[in-house]
Amino acid sequence: MSDLSQNGLPGGEKTLNGTPAPLARQDSDYLRLLGESVRSARTHKGMTRKMLAANSGVSERFLAQLENGTGNASILVLRQIAEALDLPVETLLPDGNARSSDLLAATELLRSLSDLELARAHESLRAQFHLATGQREHRIALIGLRGAGKSSVGAALAKALEVPFFELDRLIEQESGVSLSMIFDMYGQNEFRRYERRCLESLLSRHQRFVLATGGSLVSEAATYDRLLAACYTIWLRATPQEHMSRVVAQGDMRPMAHNPQAMSDLERILEERNHLYAKADAIVNTSGRSIEEVTQQCLASVSVREPVRS
């Protein structure tokens, strides 16, 4: 693959006199579409080229070249531009059939919605365009705060359904070769999120049937959570904050309480903040005061009828 530089010259491709070789027609067309996409995004944001240059750190001259189809930007430069526009970098990439402006407008509209409106829009789109796959009922994902019983119930549910059981956090540790705490300490939350999404995609590509226990904070990462909702039948295992805490402590983990007298109020706040996200699940099963067997049976009932369950 050619080494692409910000000035737009494909590395290593020269004519005999040392000047850059002309781009192939399809490459020129792609650069033109890319330039139109960047210009459309910039004008949609109400930004001048000078403003975009100042915010992105990319020279105004190169932005002009990029927008007129002669600048060949590296992916890192495109990321700078996308971040300055407050857009995902993929929205700038043309797909070859002039959908970029429509995609941009749709993305902007969705980003302006409240969490509740976004949830409704998501469900509406899935119903309208049949985005839910026929495999969802064979892929069961359990969500909820730590201490909800996802591992215990997940293992029992997988055994009853005779399918493999996976814990996403364990898959992340296997992929990275280090513990979750080390990932956060060494690389930070962003790298953890990348591992999380990569491991989920890998699992979906390799297995048609499974039960998956997810991390409690996955629902806070919108793109990954949307992917989970679209690909899996999702069950929220719900419990009171007191039960969440007592179960974690009963497992021998005293970290939630260590040197933190506000641990319970922090847990209550986190649960309150995530309630509307967890509530997007296909089914909600209350685990408070119930045995693993009782919760597993209710999950099985939910999966068998494929209808929303709220308990």
Side-chain angles (χ1 to χ4, degrees):
M1 181 180 292
S2 299
D3 192 21
L4 300 183
S5 62
Q6 178 174 318
N7 64 11
L9 305 182
E13 298 182 13
K14 307 276 188 181
T15 61
L16 291 177
N17 63 6
T19 60
L23 292 169
R25 175 62 182 274
Q26 63 182 15
D27 293 336
S28 295
D29 289 344
Y30 189 86
L31 290 181
R32 176 180 55 78
L33 290 171
L34 175 61
E36 292 174 357
S37 177
V38 172
R39 183 171 61 251
S40 174
R42 176 176 61 77
T43 55
H44 187 78
K45 289 285 187 177
M47 298 176 68
T48 65
R49 199 176 287 151
K50 177 177 286 189
M51 292 168 61
L52 180 55
N55 292 341
S56 66
V58 178
S59 72
E60 189 175 351
R61 177 183 178 185
F62 179 70
L63 286 174
Q65 294 174 341
L66 183 62
E67 290 185 3
N68 68 28
T70 60
N72 191 349
S74 71
I75 189 63
L76 295 180
V77 171
L78 283 178
R79 187 177 68 177
Q80 289 176 241
I81 294 171
E83 288 176 350
L85 292 168
D86 192 27
L87 291 171
V89 68
E90 57 267 24
T91 62
L92 297 180
L93 300 176
D95 60 8
N97 59 9
R99 293 174 58 202
S100 297
S101 59
D102 289 336
L103 180 60
L104 177 62
T107 300
E108 285 295 283
L109 174 61
L110 292 174
R111 286 165 67 89
S112 70
L113 300 179
S114 68
D115 288 335
L116 181 58
E117 291 170 333
L118 189 59
R120 291 173 178 169
H122 181 228
E123 291 301 317
S124 178
L125 286 170
R126 284 171 56 188
Q128 179 72 23
F129 299 105
H130 309 290
L131 296 179
T133 68
Q135 298 172 335
R136 289 183 73 246
E137 65 270 20
H138 301 303
R139 292 166 164 170
I140 315 301
L142 304 180
I143 63 174
L145 276 184
R146 189 174 175 210
K150 292 172 292 185
S151 296
S152 301
V153 173
L157 185 58
K159 182 177 180 180
L161 293 171
E162 298 183 338
V163 298
F165 172 61
F166 300 98
E167 293 182 86
L168 191 55
D169 284 349
R170 303 291 80 78
L171 295 178
I172 293 170
E173 289 181 331
Q174 292 171 19
E175 172 76 12
S176 65
V178 297
S179 66
L180 295 185
S181 59
M182 288 186 67
I183 294 176
F184 279 98
D185 292 342
M186 295 169 59
Y187 307 115
Q189 180 170 294
N190 288 341
E191 185 64 18
F192 169 77
R193 292 303 182 195
R194 282 190 281 271
Y195 272 117
E196 184 176 58
R197 178 61 183 266
R198 189 157 62 240
C199 288
L200 175 60
E201 291 292 354
S202 177
L203 182 65
L204 293 173
S205 68
R206 290 183 290 109
H207 295 275
Q208 304 301 316
R209 301 166 61 89
F210 58 74
V211 174
L212 173 68
T214 67
S217 65
L218 179 144
V219 298
S220 300
E221 186 66 14
T224 303
Y225 189 31
D226 284 346
R227 180 70 172 115
L228 185 80
L229 291 171
C232 303
Y233 184 89
T234 312
I235 303 174
W236 174 20
L237 299 186
R238 182 171 60 182
T240 65
Q242 292 74 21
E243 288 209 68
H244 279 292
M245 183 67 75
S246 63
R247 289 170 184 172
V248 172
V249 173
Q251 294 167 4
D253 188 350
M254 300 301 295
R255 288 176 298 171
M257 304 298 292
H259 311 295
N260 184 10
Q262 304 299 318
M264 180 57 72
S265 61
D266 288 346
L267 190 150
E268 291 172 343
R269 174 182 52 79
I270 292 172
L271 185 57
E272 183 177 356
E273 290 174 349
R274 293 180 185 167
N275 268 342
H276 71 284
L277 297 172
Y278 289 135
K280 294 180 181 181
D282 295 288
I284 300 175
V285 175
N286 189 357
T287 67
S288 295
R290 294 181 177 179
S291 67
I292 293 174
E293 291 74 17
E294 289 173 322
V295 174
T296 301
Q297 287 303 312
Q298 185 156 5
C299 290
L300 284 170
S302 168
V303 173
S304 65
V305 298
R306 301 176 195 171
E307 294 178 357
V309 171
R310 299 290 187 266
S311 71

